[in-house]
Amino acid sequence: MSIQPLLDLINLVPRDLILPPANLFLVMLAGLLLWRRWPRLGRSVAGTGLAALFLLSSTAGARFFVAPLEAMTAPLAAPEQAGAEAIVVLASGRLRHAPEYGGLDIPDYVALGRVRYAAHLQRRTGLPILVSGGNGASGIDPAPDDRAYSKAHAMAAALREDFGVPVKWIEPRSRDTGENAAYSAAMLRADGIHRILLVTDAMHMPRSCAAFERAGMDVVAAPTMFFGRQSQGFGAWIPSPEGVRRARYAMYELLGLAWYRLRSAGTGATDGPATKPPGKQASIETKCCGE
C-alpha cells in the first residue's frame, strides 16, 4: 500500500507552522484553549510550550539540535589531496534590491559565508567553481520578473568582484536542494566531471551530500559555519534571535532528512533524477550521514 497520499497531505502543511517559534506558540495556544475545561492539562501543555520556547531561543538550547547534525560531517583537512575536479557552492538566502549595489540582489550573510569558503578552496586547489541556486522555493517557481538575476548570479558576482575568483558555471534554475543536485550534476557531467568539493553549511551538508550522491556525483564534503562548536558561557543561555534562527535551521534540516527517507521508502522517489542504483542508498547514508 502506497503512503504517497499521506505524504502529499503532510506536504501541504506550511513549514512555518511546524518550525519554531510558530510551532511553540501553537502549543501554548492549545494549552490556553484546554485550560478552561482541563486546567491541569492546559497548564502543563502551555507551560511546556513556554519552556521549550525559552530553551530554543538560546544558542545553548539550539545546540541540542545543531550538534547532532554537525556531528555527521567534519571540516575538510586537505582539499588539495581530495582528488576533486570542481567546487560546487550552494545558494542560501539573498538581500533584495541592495541600494549600495545599484539595486541588485546580494547574498545574505549565510550565503556569503559559503562564498567566502568557496573562494578559499579555489585559491588552494585552483579548481573551477559552479554556483547553484534559483529564486524559487521548493515546488514554487519565481515570478517572471524575478528570474533573470538569480541567487546563483548574485553569488557569482560576489566571487568575481569581491573575492577575485573566477566562476565557470552558473546554475540559476534550482528551487531546492534536490534540484541543486540534479541540475548541477547534469552540467558537470557534460564536462566530464564526477568528483566535487561540495560547499555548504555544516548543518545543511548531510542532506546536500546525499542529494548530490543520488544525482551521480562523488562528493567530498567541504562544510563551513560550524555553529555547534561555539563557546557555551552563561550568555549562551539568554534568549536571542540567533538562538531561534539556529534552532529553526537545525530542526528544518532534521525534518528534511526524515522527509527524504520517508518519501524514498514510500514511493521510491529521490531528490531528482537519480543515476545511482537503489542498492547504493545505504552506502550514501553511511557516507553523508555517518550511519
Side-chain angles (χ1 to χ4, degrees):
M1 178 178 178
S2 174
I3 62 171
Q4 184 59 42
L6 176 60
L7 297 178
D8 292 339
L9 182 62
I10 295 173
N11 206 34
L12 294 176
V13 179
R15 293 173 184 172
D16 287 342
L17 292 180
I18 60 177
L19 294 171
N23 61 348
L24 301 178
F25 281 113
L26 289 176
V27 171
M28 288 186 283
L29 177 61
L32 294 175
L33 293 175
L34 292 169
W35 198 312
R36 177 174 297 181
R37 187 175 181 91
W38 299 286
R40 182 176 296 178
L41 176 62
R43 286 194 297 270
S44 297
V45 172
T48 299
L50 182 61
L53 179 63
F54 183 88
L55 178 66
L56 296 182
S57 294
S58 68
T59 56
R63 190 174 182 273
F64 288 107
F65 295 92
V66 173
L69 273 170
E70 294 188 347
M72 297 179 188
T73 189
L76 181 59
E80 304 91 341
Q81 301 173 21
E85 302 160 291
I87 298 167
V88 177
V89 55
L90 304 185
S92 179
R94 57 175 171 160
L95 299 177
R96 301 196 64 182
H97 311 307
E100 71 274 32
Y101 286 89
L104 289 176
D105 296 350
I106 61 174
D108 69 1
Y109 81 97
V110 175
L112 193 59
R114 301 177 186 182
V115 164
R116 179 180 180 179
Y117 188 48
H120 171 78
L121 291 174
Q122 198 281 330
R123 291 194 180 99
R124 288 185 62 174
T125 64
L127 294 174
I129 291 180
L130 182 150
V131 290
S132 174
N135 291 343
S138 183
I140 303 174
D141 290 324
D145 61 352
D146 193 30
R147 297 176 183 176
Y149 195 76
S150 67
K151 294 174 186 175
H153 287 104
M155 294 174 75
L159 282 164
R160 290 165 176 159
E161 298 170 12
D162 301 327
F163 293 94
V165 168
V167 174
K168 183 171 182 180
W169 305 275
I170 296 177
E171 184 286 294
R173 297 186 296 149
S174 55
R175 300 169 298 177
D176 54 33
T177 303
E179 291 185 354
N180 284 146
Y183 297 151
S184 298
M187 296 174 72
L188 293 169
R189 282 195 299 269
D191 282 346
I193 291 173
H194 300 281
R195 187 172 175 84
I196 61 170
L197 298 182
L198 182 61
V199 177
T200 189
D201 301 354
M203 280 193 282
H204 188 221
M205 184 57 74
R207 192 160 59 93
S208 301
C209 172
F212 273 81
E213 285 279 337
R214 284 194 289 264
M217 291 287 102
D218 184 9
V219 175
V220 178
T224 186
M225 301 179 74
F226 286 82
F227 295 107
R229 302 190 179 200
Q230 306 297 308
S231 61
Q232 299 292 313
F234 173 77
W237 292 99
I238 298 174
S240 67
E242 179 61 14
V244 175
R245 191 198 72 81
R246 292 183 190 180
R248 178 185 175 86
Y249 191 173
M251 291 181 70
Y252 178 84
E253 289 302 324
L254 289 168
L255 288 171
L257 284 171
W259 171 254
Y260 285 152
R261 290 170 182 172
L262 182 63
R263 189 175 68 175
S264 179
T267 67
T270 61
D271 297 322
T275 59
K276 292 194 174 183
K280 289 287 187 179
Q281 182 62 31
S283 64
I284 291 173
E285 295 289 344
T286 300
K287 177 177 181 178
C288 297
C289 302
E291 297 182 356

